[in-house]
Amino acid sequence: MKPLTATASRESNGQTSSRGAKWPMLLVALLLCGIGGLTLTRRQVAPPLATTQVALPANVQAVRLDWRVVNSFPHDPKAFTQGLLWFDGGFYEGTGIEGQSTLRRVEFPSGRVLQKRALPADVFGEGVAQVGDKLVGLSWQSRRGFVWDRKSLKLLGEFTYANEGWGLTYDGQYLIQSDGTSTLTYLDPQTFQPLRQLTVTFNGQMQRNLNELEWINGAIWANVWKTDQIVRIDPATGQITAYLDLTGLLPRALRTGKEDVLNGIAYDAEKKRLFVTGKLWPRLFEIKVQDGGL
């Protein structure tokens, strides 16, 4: 089976940059030109991040998991869902689109928005994760991250990162970030500095378009952008061990055709409930994964 692919592609960040390669050539050119009185300062370059990529046996195959709908609930059909997480009997949700991006607290099961904070008008909001009493959020191409107080949603600070921001989750020790490629980046939850990277593979091949993330029972679950697929990733190897095909979950009659793709995974660990929704979806679904998939 080939890696799950998107029917359309969003511009990826291209993590390898040509800027570093041009610097030695520029230095040589300046020295050869004999520019008098010019002092060149040596720039320190950070070492590349360690990348976890484990060779997998050729016969290892991701397992397709069966599922069923347990219930469905109202969801704001104008919410361009980018991040979703469960806490204290309800949801925190991050939404996107420049000029419309928000962080919100959502009541369950009514779907009513209890609190809402707007992101800067020039920012396209993305994934959200909880770290203690704080919420951390990403933006798509602005490379700006945000930290809010969980209770008041008051903005506490900002940080920057070098790649695009797509999904975000917290494993209890590290923040884990997706950027639309096959690479997940582990961040220090206090300094937000990148620590290492994990290459994700589907049956031995790179899996791109990893989007919204959720940490569930020791594994990383991820939406695959522009598909109805959710994959389960082993954080030790990067291997996708299982996947859900949620085709048909949202009835065609409820789709608008305007980017209303599956995106949003939240897990209630106490009651072992899995919730999923999508961008501009009018419903949020509780699903049961069969055969001990969780």
Side-chain angles (χ1 to χ4, degrees), residues 67-72 223 228-230 244-255 261-264 274-278 281-288:
W67 56 275
R68 63 181 175 86
V69 175
V70 176
N71 210 335
S72 71
N223 285 113
D228 288 316
Q229 318 293 335
I230 292 176
L244 294 170
D245 183 347
L246 299 183
T247 300
L249 175 61
L250 184 69
R252 185 176 298 275
L254 296 180
R255 291 182 178 268
V261 298
L262 183 74
N263 201 50
L274 180 64
F275 299 96
V276 296
T277 189
W281 280 25
R283 306 298 294 178
L284 176 143
F285 296 89
E286 178 187 350
I287 64 173
K288 178 70 175 179

Side-chain angles (χ1 to χ4, degrees), residues 52 65 129 167-179 181-187 196-202 207 210-224 229-244 265-267 274 293-294:
T52 302
L65 300 173
L168 191 68
T169 192
Y170 182 55
D171 68 358
Q173 186 174 6
Y174 305 107
L175 285 164
I176 305 172
Q177 174 201 358
S178 65
D179 59 15
T181 69
S182 60
T183 298
L184 299 179
T185 301
Y186 281 68
L187 306 174
R196 66 183 180 90
Q197 294 181 319
L198 179 70
T199 299
V200 177
T201 57
F202 187 92
Q207 177 61 63
L210 299 171
N211 201 0
E212 216 269 309
L213 305 176
E214 181 79 359
W215 179 260
I216 304 176
N217 295 337
I220 305 164
W221 291 64
N223 285 113
V224 179
Q229 318 293 335
I230 292 176
V231 296
R232 185 182 68 193
I233 304 164
D234 182 344
T237 64
Q239 176 190 357
I240 292 173
T241 58
Y243 68 98
L244 294 170
I265 311 167
Y267 184 62
L274 180 64
L294 288 177

Side-chain angles (χ1 to χ4, degrees), residues 13-283:
N13 58 15
Q15 291 183 15
T16 56
S17 171
S18 62
R19 290 197 300 267
K22 292 179 180 178
W23 172 248
M25 297 175 63
L26 176 61
L27 177 59
V28 171
L30 290 174
L31 292 175
L32 291 176
C33 289
I35 301 176
L38 177 64
T39 301
L40 296 177
T41 302
R42 183 178 181 181
R43 184 174 62 179
Q44 293 186 353
V45 179
L49 297 176
T51 300
T52 302
Q53 184 176 356
V54 179
L56 301 174
N59 61 347
V60 172
Q61 297 288 310
V63 177
R64 177 171 172 168
L65 300 173
D66 292 328
W67 56 275
R68 63 181 175 86
V69 175
V70 176
N71 210 335
S72 71
F73 309 94
H75 180 255
D76 181 0
K78 296 181 180 180
F80 198 81
T81 304
Q82 300 289 76
L84 188 70
L85 63 96
W86 172 271
F87 182 78
D88 197 22
F91 299 98
Y92 288 102
E93 184 173 12
T95 70
I97 303 295
E98 291 183 359
Q100 302 177 37
S101 298
T102 64
L103 171 69
R104 50 180 69 184
R105 184 183 177 195
V106 180
E107 184 179 63
F108 178 80
S110 71
R112 183 167 66 96
V113 177
L114 300 176
Q115 294 172 277
K116 183 165 65 174
R117 295 292 184 198
L119 274 64
D122 60 342
V123 164
F124 194 116
E126 288 280 350
V128 177
Q130 179 189 345
V131 180
D133 60 356
K134 298 179 177 63
L135 297 171
V136 182
L138 303 174
S139 61
W140 177 23
Q141 294 180 319
S142 303
R143 300 184 178 182
R144 294 169 63 184
F146 304 90
V147 182
W148 300 275
D149 176 78
R150 181 181 57 77
K151 292 183 178 179
S152 66
L153 302 191
K154 177 183 178 182
L155 181 64
L156 301 177
E158 293 191 19
F159 61 96
T160 60
Y161 42 91
N163 51 352
E164 288 185 0
W166 285 42
L168 191 68
T169 192
Y170 182 55
D171 68 358
Q173 186 174 6
Y174 305 107
L175 285 164
I176 305 172
Q177 174 201 358
S178 65
D179 59 15
T181 69
S182 60
T183 298
L184 299 179
T185 301
Y186 281 68
L187 306 174
D188 184 298
Q190 303 302 322
T191 66
F192 308 107
Q193 292 301 304
L195 301 175
R196 66 183 180 90
Q197 294 181 319
L198 179 70
T199 299
V200 177
T201 57
F202 187 92
N203 295 342
Q205 300 183 50
M206 302 293 191
Q207 177 61 63
R208 298 181 59 82
N209 293 308
L210 299 171
N211 201 0
E212 216 269 309
L213 305 176
E214 181 79 359
W215 179 260
I216 304 176
N217 295 337
I220 305 164
W221 291 64
N223 285 113
V224 179
W225 185 63
K226 278 289 187 179
T227 77
D228 288 316
Q229 318 293 335
I230 292 176
V231 296
R232 185 182 68 193
I233 304 164
D234 182 344
T237 64
Q239 176 190 357
I240 292 173
T241 58
Y243 68 98
L244 294 170
D245 183 347
L246 299 183
T247 300
L249 175 61
L250 184 69
R252 185 176 298 275
L254 296 180
R255 291 182 178 268
T256 66
K258 298 178 180 178
E259 276 284 344
D260 50 355
V261 298
L262 183 74
N263 201 50
I265 311 167
Y267 184 62
D268 174 8
E270 181 180 352
K271 296 185 178 180
K272 303 185 185 307
R273 296 184 295 183
L274 180 64
F275 299 96
V276 296
T277 189
K279 307 172 190 284
L280 308 177
W281 280 25
R283 306 298 294 178

